[in-house]
Amino acid sequence: MATGVVIGGGPAGLMAAQEMSRAGLSVVLAEAKPSVGRKLLMAGKSGLNLTRDEAFDRFLGAYEEAAPHLRPMLERMGPETVRAWAEALGQDLFTGTTGRVFPRAMKASPLLRAWLGQLRGGGVEIRTRCRWTGWDGAGLTFDTPGGPTTLHPEVSVLALGGASWARLGSDGAWAEHFDIASFRPANIGIAVDWSDRMAPQFGLPLKAVALTAGGRSSRGECVITARGLEGAGIYALSRELRDHAPLSLDLTPDIPLDRLRHKLARRRRGDSLASHLRRTIRLDPAKRALLMEFGRPLPDDLAPLLKALPVRHHGALPLDQAISTAGGLPFRALDETLMLRDRPGTFAAGEMLDWEAPTGGYLLTACLATGLWAGRAAARYAASFSDSTAR
């Protein structure tokens, strides 16, 4: 029986192991941490966003310059296939108002338990506390509790993750073995040096705001934190903000400028500004605090400032705090099957590849899709290798 090793127990690695095992390989999955799926479980704490319910071309567009590389993989395992896969694991799904698809359990643990049961039932051997340290000739070397170990499979799939959330396993240490595109934070908040008067606002959400940076706009919630601003609305602008593009907030995106001016002109005698803003345009305390933080001295014509409030920031928060990372192993180092050009029989998948996408189901879907693609390609390669050896 042909043998295969998968390194990394995240979604991409688990999917690759699944496909290799189904193809008849004897598969060992090596994970450096004491358990697999740690980042998946953390992502599921706020509701596991599996994929998205939207037209394929729109879905593919979220991957921007990586879309041509990922297209065939996402055509094979896109949103509809991900839904079918999760349902086959016993997960009842629903689609939210924004098109995001979740398990009704709203967490990852039931899906992961069912998946691991399926993998073990299919013969996949999972070895934890087994950290890959590189190659010794054709062999894969590992540090394990029992000491250094070397494995010699016919094929291997690397699914080593990006370089954020190191405590969950994605520490980027594998990069020393490759010529990579530098890691950059993606889906990350921005750092802001708040004045002391902002402390009461920490933890408050900013709802119904529009954000603009570097020519790109986003509509979504974010949260004021002691470190800065975080949340989906900010994450969508990660590419621009990590390069320190200026950020502006539209605090009243549903009120056109002329109408806003008209509303603000009708101030009652004796009304404080805070009361006036609350009464006429329903500006909540968090938005009023931001207006005072970044807008003073306030101009007489307040409407343009409310529509484009400049936010002074210092770029992205540290890399390890990012939900995901850009950079990694470039597609030019791989062939169309995701096999390393300079190491035949070794494939790569998941977030260690150089692509990025916003949150909202795009990240997990692409990890699953590249894992499936690499796993199937590895199985085909193993079969051809066995055939040539037999001849």
Side-chain angles (χ1 to χ4, degrees):
M1 180 183 290
T3 59
V5 169
V6 176
I7 306 175
L14 293 171
M15 183 58 73
Q18 170 187 298
E19 295 306 303
M20 293 161 70
S21 176
R22 285 179 173 176
L25 273 67
S26 175
V27 180
V28 170
L29 187 146
E31 165 58 44
K33 292 295 184 180
S35 59
V36 301
R38 291 191 162 204
K39 197 170 181 181
L40 179 67
L41 291 172
M42 178 63 75
K45 282 194 170 183
S46 57
L48 181 64
N49 188 185
L50 284 170
T51 190
R52 205 170 187 97
D53 184 6
E54 64 185 12
F56 180 78
D57 285 346
R58 181 177 177 184
F59 185 86
L60 184 65
Y63 301 93
E64 300 200 18
E65 67 272 12
H69 300 287
L70 295 173
R71 175 184 280 274
M73 303 164 207
L74 291 167
E75 287 175 338
R76 183 67 57 85
M77 190 171 194
E80 291 185 7
T81 311
V82 169
R83 292 183 68 136
W85 165 78
E87 288 169 346
L89 287 171
Q91 303 307 298
D92 186 19
L93 308 179
F94 74 95
T95 302
T97 55
T98 60
R100 300 182 182 204
V101 178
F102 301 88
R104 289 205 179 273
M106 288 299 286
K107 53 186 178 181
S109 51
L111 182 145
L112 183 60
R113 280 195 300 269
W115 197 6
L116 291 178
Q118 185 183 81
L119 290 172
R120 291 189 174 104
V124 174
E125 179 188 352
I126 297 175
R127 299 183 187 179
T128 56
R129 297 184 173 89
C130 188
R131 176 176 286 276
W132 181 62
T133 54
W135 287 280
D136 182 4
L140 297 161
T141 59
F142 299 87
D143 280 339
T144 74
T149 297
T150 303
L151 298 177
H152 295 272
E154 276 87 358
V155 291
S156 58
V157 174
L158 308 179
L160 293 156
S164 63
W165 296 31
R167 64 190 176 88
L168 301 178
S170 297
D171 58 14
W174 56 266
E176 66 182 272
H177 301 288
F178 302 93
D179 180 14
I180 70 161
S182 298
F183 289 120
R184 291 157 290 152
N187 294 296
I188 183 70
I190 55 170
V192 179
D193 288 336
W194 301 113
S195 66
D196 292 342
R197 62 177 172 268
M198 284 296 295
Q201 314 304 322
F202 295 164
L204 291 182
L206 283 174
K207 297 184 178 182
V209 293
L211 308 92
T212 301
R216 188 193 299 255
S217 295
S218 166
R219 179 78 181 261
E221 284 191 22
C222 48
V223 178
I224 302 171
T225 72
R227 300 181 298 183
L229 290 173
E230 302 181 43
I234 288 287
Y235 300 160
L237 303 176
S238 291
R239 291 169 178 258
E240 292 73 25
L241 294 173
R242 68 188 175 213
D243 292 329
H244 298 269
L247 171 66
S248 66
L249 297 181
D250 183 346
L251 300 179
T252 61
D254 297 319
I255 308 176
L257 178 61
D258 290 345
R259 185 177 168 206
L260 182 60
R261 277 198 174 107
H262 179 70
K263 282 177 169 287
L264 292 174
R266 300 183 306 184
R267 184 170 177 178
R268 295 175 181 173
R269 180 175 297 181
D271 255 4
S272 67
L273 178 60
S275 176
H276 178 53
L277 294 174
R278 182 179 64 250
R279 179 177 57 81
T280 57
I281 58 173
R282 298 181 181 179
L283 209 65
D284 62 40
K287 291 180 179 179
R288 296 200 302 270
L290 285 177
L291 177 64
M292 299 306 290
E293 180 76 0
F294 297 119
R296 294 192 303 176
L298 298 179
D300 292 334
D301 185 5
L302 199 56
L305 185 62
L306 289 167
K307 299 297 289 180
L309 179 69
V311 175
R312 296 182 295 274
H313 68 92
H314 302 288
L317 290 167
L319 179 66
D320 193 50
Q321 297 174 23
I323 291 176
S324 60
T325 50
L329 198 59
F331 283 99
R332 67 175 180 273
L334 309 163
D335 70 11
E336 67 279 1
T337 70
L338 296 182
M339 185 170 70
L340 274 64
R341 295 185 185 278
D342 61 358
R343 192 169 282 273
T346 300
F347 300 77
E351 199 182 336
M352 71 179 291
L353 305 180
D354 184 14
W355 60 274
E356 64 178 307
T359 57
Y362 304 106
L363 293 170
L364 184 52
T365 298
C367 284
L368 294 170
T370 57
L372 180 139
W373 189 267
R376 289 185 176 177
R380 291 194 301 270
Y381 187 91
S384 65
F385 180 84
S386 297
D387 289 345
S388 63
T389 302
R391 287 195 297 268

